[in-house]
Amino acid sequence: MVIKVEDFFSFLHKCLDKTFHNFDQVVLPAPSRNPLLKNYYFTPMTQTGTYNLDSYRTVDPLKVFFFQPREKMLPAGFPAIKRLIVGAKGCDLRALHVLDQAMINKDFVDPGYSHWRHSTTIIATDCSEIAPTCHCTLTGGKPFAEAGFDLNLSRLGEQYRVTVGSDKGQELLDLMAKNFSMQPAKEGIKSAIEKKRSEIIRLLHEQNRAFERGDDYTRLQSSGKENWNRESLTCVGCGACTHICPTCYCLILNDETKAQQFVKVRSMDSCQLHGYARVAGGGSPRPKMFQRFRNRYLCKFLFMHSNFGELGCTGCGRCTETCTAGIDFRQVVRNISETVAVVS
Amino acid sequence: MHNPYEVIPATIYDVIQESPLIRTLRVKPERPIPFKTGQFIELTIPGIGEGPFTPSSSHYISEEMDITIMKTGFVTEYVHKAQPGDQVGLRGPYGTRYPLEKFAGKDLLILGGGCGLAPLRSLFLTLLHDVEKYNSITFFAGAKTPQDCIYKDAVTEWRKYKNVRFLRSVDVVPAGETWNEDVGLVTTLLKKLDIDPAHNPAVVCGPPIMMKFGTMDLLKYGYKDENIYLSMEKKMYCGFGQCRHCVMGGYYACKDGPVFTYAQIKNEEDIWE
């Protein structure tokens, strides 16, 4: 189905009205207030704000809505907020698929994650631009969502082509169609969207040509200590890369109370921090920076893959964007891979 | 829905000071916590924090639990201030158990040092429950000095069993202390081994350095990789494989362990750290 961009935004504005839909909050990417920065941040929608659904991924990963940086798990009591997130990108939805397996599985259900996951509706949008660090195509991704959304929007001029990804999405589309003028997508629109998508993929290939490294990630494990030492020389171990990573989910539990009661607060942790795996008495399996640095790469490309059958890197490039030392994740993977010959 | 972070309140009903740095908390949880020997629990000091500890009591008792803890960090500092009547919290049990069925009819060796005796006491007491099932139990226990030896009061009792051989050694005997058992690292006791290493199981627990050299020595004596059971202690924060602090290569110490055979983990990196 096709809807005018203007009508779609009117629909979102209507969604802010509880009598129209039971959403409590609509969240979507807004451009940075600093005109020098071409960045987008997930922001709660207001009647007067300006938003951009179509550029590239936001600075903040989608995971923060589900795996919050800090949340009380015990006693459990999560706010009953129904949220509509608009403008999620393909890379973040792939990441969410990894997190879903980690946080909701047969052995374990995280009450917070599961609460937010069930109370949130996701509308994805195609990327019509790429950020300098975007490299989803290097990790098997695409600059548009293939799964994991309730609805997906592909922009063509002043209209959106809407595709449905779930029953929840279908209901939302029905509501949209009841209130606004929508037409079935003609073949011409479909092929124009395909063409646009291919063009973005071409841009990604062009941007990342120098970082291509094949997909034999076992080379990361066999590469020697001296290579990891060299790559991690400028790393200060701040942990920003892991906190902003859409698939990192390491957590710590803290007892945040002064009273004689049991309170467990779950916070994000980072394997890059020195004290991460240190045990009482001082022992640590990774006391050196290069070991922790290496661990992150192995986790993304090997450990997560063996646990979930998917790479832990979706190529969003946020770690590179945020790194205070200017370390380019893609460059490291490429450099390390080159130190080991491919066994054919 | 079950909250995996739920804590079961427990009351300390007794505290046994085993050595200057090690004490055993005897706790009574609000509801029984059935566990299998080798598994661990997370003990919370309210408002302070929690840590993974292995019960040191028999798994045939679930209404009460002994937990032997060494003063070595932030949380254990508070554990050592706790008094009878105080409330603590327990989560668990988590992880893998000692495979008792594989010890049946065998000559089992238990090799432990320091506070590593905690899970081994649980194993030992559980074995004593039906001690006739096992051909023999050899328990080699090490400590730094005579005053660091734990479970002192129970030793005489344990030595009364016909098929139990319980030997102790201390690293050094400081001036002024008396000791009429072995002196030297616990692994030196292996010289006194009178069982067939090639076809019998061994269980090892202790400080990382002792586990490492203990395992190496067992291999030298002819124990097989798959017959050496290790209790790996890592930073097991959550207990259910979510927090990822205890990752050892492809394994989680909390979920796939803490009881591993040496054969399982010998190729993983940095297992002894």
Side-chain angles (χ1 to χ4, degrees), chain B residues 114-132:
Chain B
C115 206
L117 293 188
L120 299 179
R121 177 181 180 248
S122 168
L123 169 66
F124 188 65
L125 294 177
T126 306
L127 295 172
L128 290 185
H129 186 263
D130 27 30
V131 69
E132 68 288 348

Side-chain angles (χ1 to χ4, degrees), chain A residues 73-76 101-103 105 107-112 114-115 221 249-262 264 266 269-270 275-287 291 294-295 298-299 303-304 306-308, chain B residues 1-10 30 42-50 70 72-76 86-91 208 233-250 252 255 268-271 273:
Chain A
M73 291 293 123
L74 187 79
Q101 296 185 67
M103 304 303 257
N105 56 54
D107 298 325
F108 174 82
V109 176
D110 184 277
S114 139
H115 167 82
Q221 199 155 27
Y249 63 92
C250 283
L251 57 93
I252 52 171
L253 292 173
N254 290 313
D255 293 62
E256 296 187 7
T257 173
K258 288 203 169 73
Q260 281 289 311
Q261 58 176 15
F262 298 106
K264 298 282 173 206
R266 184 197 68 195
D269 200 359
S270 168
Y276 175 77
R278 185 179 57 209
V279 295
S284 167
R286 294 180 291 277
Q291 296 170 312
R294 172 177 181 263
N295 181 68
L298 297 192
C299 182
F303 304 159
M304 283 193 168
S306 77
N307 287 337
F308 309 124
Chain B
M1 191 176 64
H2 169 68
N3 186 339
Y5 301 98
E6 195 198 346
V7 169
I8 301 168
E30 258 178 25
E42 297 278 349
L43 174 101
T44 298
I45 303 288
I48 300 299
E50 66 181 347
M70 185 163 87
T72 183
F74 179 73
V75 172
T76 54
D86 287 357
Q87 202 174 57
V88 294
L90 301 175
R91 291 195 290 122
E233 305 292 321
K234 297 281 167 196
K235 189 171 184 173
M236 300 174 288
Y237 233 123
C238 67
F240 33 72
Q242 285 303 122
C243 79
R244 304 173 64 83
H245 291 78
C246 68
V247 163
M248 298 162 51
Y252 291 105
K255 218 165 77 168
E268 303 298 338
E269 294 170 14
D270 308 321
I271 56 170
E273 299 302 320

Side-chain angles (χ1 to χ4, degrees), chain A residues 64-244:
Chain A
V64 297
F65 293 104
F66 307 99
F67 180 75
Q68 299 195 357
R70 202 166 156 279
E71 193 169 23
K72 193 194 280 182
M73 291 293 123
L74 187 79
F78 305 101
I81 295 174
K82 290 231 175 287
R83 207 179 252 153
L84 171 64
I85 298 178
V86 193
K89 298 298 181 185
C91 52
D92 270 350
L93 291 176
R94 278 173 76 205
L96 213 52
H97 191 253
V98 171
L99 289 185
D100 282 353
Q101 296 185 67
M103 304 303 257
I104 306 175
N105 56 54
K106 67 174 173 35
D107 298 325
F108 174 82
V109 176
D110 184 277
Y113 185 88
S114 139
H115 167 82
W116 293 116
R117 202 69 179 90
H118 289 115
S119 58
T120 305
T121 304
I122 297 176
I123 302 184
T125 53
D126 289 9
C127 295
S128 59
E129 292 176 287
I130 62 172
T133 58
C134 280
H135 62 286
C136 56
T137 48
L138 284 186
T139 63
K142 300 212 169 76
F144 51 89
E146 295 176 288
F149 52 82
D150 295 300
L151 288 178
N152 184 71
L153 306 177
S154 309
R155 184 160 178 164
L156 199 65
E158 283 314 303
Q159 26 181 27
Y160 277 125
R161 184 195 172 198
V162 188
T163 41
V164 176
S166 72
D167 293 346
K168 207 151 72 166
Q170 184 63 52
E171 279 171 36
L172 205 58
L173 179 69
D174 292 345
L175 185 69
M176 211 184 289
K178 216 168 98 184
N179 288 275
F180 295 93
S181 148
M182 293 186 80
Q183 297 80 39
K186 293 192 186 102
E187 269 316 307
I189 289 179
K190 287 183 191 168
S191 58
I193 287 168
E194 285 313 314
K195 212 176 134 199
K196 201 175 159 195
R197 286 176 164 185
S198 312
E199 172 58 14
I200 302 297
I201 291 176
R202 193 190 61 77
L203 289 176
L204 282 161
H205 281 310
E206 205 166 283
Q207 168 161 292
N208 295 298
R209 193 154 296 141
F211 304 114
E212 276 168 18
R213 70 278 176 126
D215 54 6
D216 178 14
Y217 295 113
T218 58
R219 288 179 292 169
L220 298 175
Q221 199 155 27
S222 46
S223 186
K225 170 187 161 179
E226 64 289 354
N227 300 320
W228 285 105
N229 226 338
R230 188 186 59 238
E231 294 303 319
S232 62
L233 270 183
T234 51
C235 176
V236 295
C238 67
C241 50
T242 53
H243 283 112
I244 208 155

Side-chain angles (χ1 to χ4, degrees), chain B residues 39-84:
Chain B
Q39 289 189 300
F40 71 97
I41 48 97
E42 297 278 349
L43 174 101
T44 298
I45 303 288
I48 300 299
E50 66 181 347
F53 301 99
T54 314
S56 50
S57 46
S58 163
H59 77 200
Y60 290 106
I61 304 161
S62 58
E63 295 78 18
E64 288 166 5
M65 194 183 275
D66 293 351
I67 311 165
T68 303
I69 296 170
M70 185 163 87
K71 187 170 166 180
T72 183
F74 179 73
V75 172
T76 54
E77 187 84 35
Y78 284 87
V79 168
H80 277 250
K81 285 180 188 159
Q83 296 297 325

Side-chain angles (χ1 to χ4, degrees), chain B residues 45-249:
Chain B
I45 303 288
I48 300 299
E50 66 181 347
F53 301 99
T54 314
S56 50
S57 46
S58 163
H59 77 200
Y60 290 106
I61 304 161
S62 58
E63 295 78 18
E64 288 166 5
M65 194 183 275
D66 293 351
I67 311 165
T68 303
I69 296 170
M70 185 163 87
K71 187 170 166 180
T72 183
F74 179 73
V75 172
T76 54
E77 187 84 35
Y78 284 87
V79 168
H80 277 250
K81 285 180 188 159
Q83 296 297 325
D86 287 357
Q87 202 174 57
V88 294
L90 301 175
R91 291 195 290 122
Y94 299 117
T96 52
R97 61 185 177 85
Y98 290 119
L100 299 185
E101 67 284 358
K102 291 198 174 153
F103 304 158
K106 298 278 185 185
D107 296 305
L108 175 67
L109 169 68
I110 302 176
L111 182 67
C115 206
L117 293 188
L120 299 179
R121 177 181 180 248
S122 168
L123 169 66
F124 188 65
L125 294 177
T126 306
L127 295 172
L128 290 185
H129 186 263
D130 27 30
V131 69
E132 68 288 348
K133 266 198 198 167
Y134 312 95
N135 203 38
S136 73
I137 303 167
T138 305
F139 197 148
F140 291 164
K144 277 186 182 146
T145 69
Q147 69 157 349
D148 291 314
C149 283
I150 60 174
Y151 309 133
K152 291 184 192 83
D153 301 340
V155 173
T156 330
E157 203 55 42
W158 293 347
R159 283 178 168 154
K160 285 181 186 161
Y161 287 85
K162 234 180 20 230
N163 58 344
V164 169
R165 187 169 176 229
F166 191 99
L167 298 185
R168 290 192 295 187
S169 94
V170 295
D171 299 351
V172 285
V173 183
E177 287 189 48
T178 51
W179 182 251
N180 46 24
E181 297 181 37
D182 288 83
V183 180
L185 297 176
V186 66
T187 45
T188 58
L189 289 174
L190 291 174
K191 280 185 211 142
K192 300 189 172 185
L193 208 60
D194 59 358
I195 49 182
D196 168 21
H199 302 99
N200 283 301
V203 177
V204 187
C205 188
I209 189 90
M210 181 246 133
M211 300 259 289
K212 178 177 177 178
F213 290 104
T215 305
M216 297 306 134
D217 280 4
L218 288 177
L219 293 170
K220 267 187 235 158
Y221 277 86
Y223 275 93
K224 297 224 172 81
D225 291 354
E226 64 273 22
N227 287 338
I228 301 175
Y229 295 90
L230 304 166
S231 273
M232 301 308 290
E233 305 292 321
K234 297 281 167 196
K235 189 171 184 173
M236 300 174 288
Y237 233 123
C238 67
F240 33 72
Q242 285 303 122
C243 79
R244 304 173 64 83
H245 291 78
C246 68
V247 163
M248 298 162 51

